[in-house]
Amino acid sequence: MKKDVIILLCSPNINHLNAKRAISSVKSTDLTRAELVIIDNNYDDTFSHPVIMNDMLTYAAKIGKDIIYIDDDVEIHDYDWIDKLYRASTALDADITGCVHTFDDGGTNHEGYYIGVDGMLEPIVGFMHDSEGMKEDAVYVPSLCSAVMLVRNCGNYYIDTKFRKYQHDLDICLQAWQSGRRTACSLGLKIIHHRGYTGEDNPDFQNILTEDTVLFSKKWGAFIPEMTEIPELSRYKSFQYDNTWIRYYNRASQLRHIDTEKATKMFRHIAGHCYDNRRKSGAYYYLYSIEGDTKLLEKCLKFNPCHQGAKKILQETQKVYSPCNQMIDCRMCHLKAQKKIYTVRI
């Protein structure tokens, strides 16, 4: 297969535990179509991540290839992650595509970023996207983090090297929207992002972040208020934390004590449409508590094999348990749903 994409990973020290983990995880995936470029800057004070990102973007455009940026504090455990990025990009005709970032305990870090009119960011977490706007488990988002970011049609973009370290990834996303192109997030691809293990330890972290945020806000201040007028981003006009699966789920769990019928409908909506596997799992568990069908517990374990309540009930009522094949690495269960429930009678 033709190598049509360059993967760029930069690190101040490729022998650091996190960097070694990131590199190892990438090398364990399908790189058939990719060239992996790893740069160790050896803590060089003059090194600029935006500069090298822009240099590689220019090079990729020159040789007719795409580029994927990866930070050295991520872990990728999906063998087909590159194809998933491309499927999402193609389905939504997006030049820039990212994915869901999780903490190492499986909780969602973000699924992209909403940008307020003041230029400040709000992480998108569990937003209740319209299912009609979702294709290949992907949705349009205002902006993304470059810890994992696919850029296509590289010749149309640049990484603004005036940014010292931050906000250049948001900048390229807004370049896309301003030029009539699109930015998307693959909700079907989840990676672990150990955010800020080096950056936030830097004594200049806050000063650099503030400086870059001010630059970003000034550069895009006139365009940001217009973004939600773009049809693909109109759903974000009323962006707020109430429009999230987490709040909807919590409301349903409280409502079950007041209006069981309404709560049941809400839990079934979560089970059928939510892309957060742990919320789906919890919805099935609550449906079991209402309806008493143990098959709902098996569905609960399908989306979260670590759900202790469901396993305990199945052990007590049917002498069945769902074995874990990940040993002590429980975070793996949260990266993707298990395709099959294996039950062993004891």
Side-chain angles (χ1 to χ4, degrees), residues 22-142:
I23 294 168
S24 177
S25 73
V26 172
K27 287 185 174 181
S28 297
T29 65
D30 184 4
L31 299 179
T32 305
R33 65 189 299 177
E35 296 181 60
L36 176 59
V37 177
I38 300 172
I39 297 177
D40 185 338
N41 66 64
N42 196 30
Y43 295 104
D44 182 354
D45 290 338
T46 65
F47 178 81
S48 168
H49 199 181
V51 167
I52 192 64
M53 290 173 71
N54 190 58
D55 287 346
M56 289 300 294
L57 183 68
T58 302
Y59 174 69
K62 182 178 180 180
I63 62 175
K65 295 188 178 183
D66 303 327
I67 191 166
I68 296 176
Y69 296 117
I70 295 183
D71 282 357
D72 66 343
D73 57 355
V74 304
E75 288 183 66
I76 300 175
H77 295 282
D78 192 319
Y79 184 73
D80 298 318
W81 67 284
I82 296 177
D83 284 342
K84 284 189 175 181
L85 285 175
Y86 271 96
R87 286 200 296 271
S89 170
T90 300
L92 294 184
D93 191 22
D95 276 358
I96 302 176
T97 308
C99 62
V100 177
H101 295 230
T102 76
F103 297 105
D104 58 5
D105 66 354
T108 301
N109 183 316
H110 66 83
E111 299 143 6
Y113 289 105
Y114 168 81
I115 306 173
V117 293
D118 55 4
M120 301 301 290
L121 308 181
E122 293 284 356
I124 300 172
V125 179
F127 189 76
M128 296 181 71
H129 297 284
D130 183 351
S131 58
E132 293 182 358
M134 188 180 300
K135 298 178 181 178
E136 287 288 341
D137 290 328
V139 293
Y140 295 114
V141 292

Side-chain angles (χ1 to χ4, degrees), residues 15 20 33 37 40 43 47 79 89 112 116 125 183 189 194 223 262 269 282 291 300 309 328:
N15 292 312
K20 291 174 70 174
R33 65 189 299 177
V37 177
D40 185 338
Y43 295 104
F47 178 81
Y79 184 73
S89 170
V125 179
T183 295
L189 173 61
H194 305 278
F223 177 68
K262 187 173 182 179
H269 182 64
E291 302 176 1
C300 169
I328 63 172

Side-chain angles (χ1 to χ4, degrees), residues 134-154:
M134 188 180 300
K135 298 178 181 178
E136 287 288 341
D137 290 328
V139 293
Y140 295 114
V141 292
S143 61
L144 294 160
C145 170
S146 61
V148 173
M149 175 187 281
L150 166 66
V151 181
R152 305 177 76 173
N153 298 313
C154 296

Side-chain angles (χ1 to χ4, degrees), residues 277 295 297-306 311 314 320-326 333 336-344:
N277 289 334
K295 290 183 179 180
L297 293 178
E298 295 179 4
K299 291 182 178 180
C300 169
L301 289 174
K302 175 182 178 181
F303 294 103
N304 180 7
C306 299
K311 289 203 286 189
L314 286 177
V320 172
Y321 72 98
S322 179
C324 176
N325 60 6
Q326 299 296 340
C333 293
K336 55 185 178 181
Q338 302 295 303
K339 293 183 179 180
K340 183 177 181 181
I341 292 296
Y342 296 92
T343 56
V344 179

